[in-house]
Amino acid sequence: DTAVSQTPKYLVTQMGNDKSIKCEQNLGHDTMYWYKQDSKKFLKIMFSYNNKELIINETVPNRFSPKSPDKAHLNLHINSLELGDSAVYFCASSQDGAGSYEQYFGPGTRLTVT
Amino acid sequence: SQKIEQNSEALNIQEGKTATLTCNYTNYSPAYLQWYRQDPGRGPVFLLLIRENEKEKRKERLKVTFDTTLKQSLFHITASQPADSATYLCALREGGGKLIFGQGTELSVKP
């Protein structure tokens, strides 16, 4: 069984478009995250939700909007895509948001903006 | 804010040898430090977590040490195998519970 799944795996789109990435976890975890990994492989936290409530919101353009319909799902919607948004986006989950538990990552979504 | 430094250069070792990877941080000692493995095209996979009051943690061929005086963690893989080749990421807990990741060290184990 896949613990953390993301769709789509690849996303190629043009500048100015709006796109969404979906994430689901079947681990029963309370906390979910979105990370961005750039071409230099730095993995940076973008958002964190704990039981559908936003708890971490890093300095991310407001074109990025996370949505958590329930604690097993965390989607990422991106408006007006820019070239600099090209990266791999990872969803993750953990038992809680205190950092004392390991995080389980999804397979990633490679976003390419042309 | 916390900064994490890992060896940016790839580490190349011979099969059977012990690989040692370094993670240095700059500010306060975190309550928890974690190590992850990332293979190309995949998400990071958790390996070990060590708490600030623990000097050492082991799991099979893996060992992690945590020296709050030196502000450093060492990650060891003993009897390394080609299958251990991957990028290894160090992560520290910062305020608010978020994890800050290092840029990772690429390990290549040659047969």
Side-chain angles (χ1 to χ4, degrees):
Chain A
D1 285 342
T2 303
V4 181
S5 59
Q6 292 179 232
T7 53
K9 176 105 172 124
Y10 300 96
L11 188 52
V12 181
T13 187
Q14 291 183 329
M15 282 194 303
N17 285 348
D18 303 338
K19 290 293 178 186
S20 292
I21 307 172
K22 295 186 175 182
C23 177
E24 177 181 0
Q25 56 97 1
N26 62 5
L27 298 167
H29 288 165
D30 285 338
T31 307
M32 295 185 72
Y33 311 83
W34 277 111
Y35 287 88
K36 178 180 180 181
Q37 189 169 44
D38 60 24
S39 57
K40 294 184 178 180
K41 306 298 183 186
F42 273 102
L43 194 61
K44 292 185 180 178
I45 182 76
M46 299 173 68
F47 302 103
S48 171
Y49 269 75
N50 186 58
N51 205 8
K52 301 194 298 176
E53 182 180 343
L54 181 66
I55 56 172
I56 294 175
N57 185 354
E58 288 297 284
T59 308
V60 176
N62 57 16
R63 299 181 293 103
F64 291 78
S65 54
K67 283 188 172 54
S68 182
D70 55 61
K71 76 172 193 176
H73 296 84
L74 180 61
N75 304 322
L76 183 65
H77 188 75
I78 315 171
N79 289 328
S80 303
L81 279 155
E82 299 177 358
L83 292 176
D85 297 333
S86 296
V88 181
Y89 292 84
F90 288 100
C91 176
S93 73
S94 66
Q95 195 166 331
D96 70 17
S100 57
Y101 291 96
E102 64 269 29
Q103 295 189 8
Y104 293 79
F105 284 79
T109 296
R110 181 173 293 277
L111 171 64
T112 303
V113 183
T114 61
Chain B
S1 61
Q2 190 76 271
K3 285 188 179 178
I4 302 172
E5 294 173 358
Q6 293 186 253
N7 294 346
S8 57
E9 292 183 10
L11 180 63
N12 298 303
I13 65 168
Q14 206 67 32
E15 182 176 8
K17 301 291 186 184
T18 296
T20 299
L21 286 69
T22 305
C23 173
N24 294 302
Y25 56 94
T26 55
N27 296 344
Y28 56 87
S29 285
Y32 309 98
L33 188 149
Q34 303 184 19
W35 283 89
Y36 289 77
R37 168 184 173 142
Q38 187 173 22
D39 291 280
R42 292 179 173 266
V45 174
F46 170 78
L47 296 175
L48 282 167
L49 180 151
I50 188 165
R51 293 174 170 76
E52 63 178 336
N53 60 352
E54 297 176 318
K55 295 290 185 187
E56 184 179 295
K57 201 82 171 276
R58 290 175 185 263
K59 179 182 176 183
E60 297 172 353
R61 296 183 295 111
L62 308 181
K63 184 178 84 172
V64 171
T65 62
F66 193 4
D67 189 325
T68 56
T69 302
L70 293 178
K71 296 187 178 180
Q72 182 181 81
S73 173
L74 298 179
F75 178 80
H76 305 273
I77 305 175
T78 57
S80 60
Q81 304 166 0
D84 295 326
S85 298
T87 296
Y88 291 86
L89 305 169
C90 166
L92 309 182
R93 192 191 84 160
E94 213 178 44
K98 66 183 179 184
L99 283 186
I100 305 297
F101 282 83
Q103 79 272 32
T105 298
E106 186 178 343
L107 172 66
S108 179
V109 182
K110 304 296 184 187

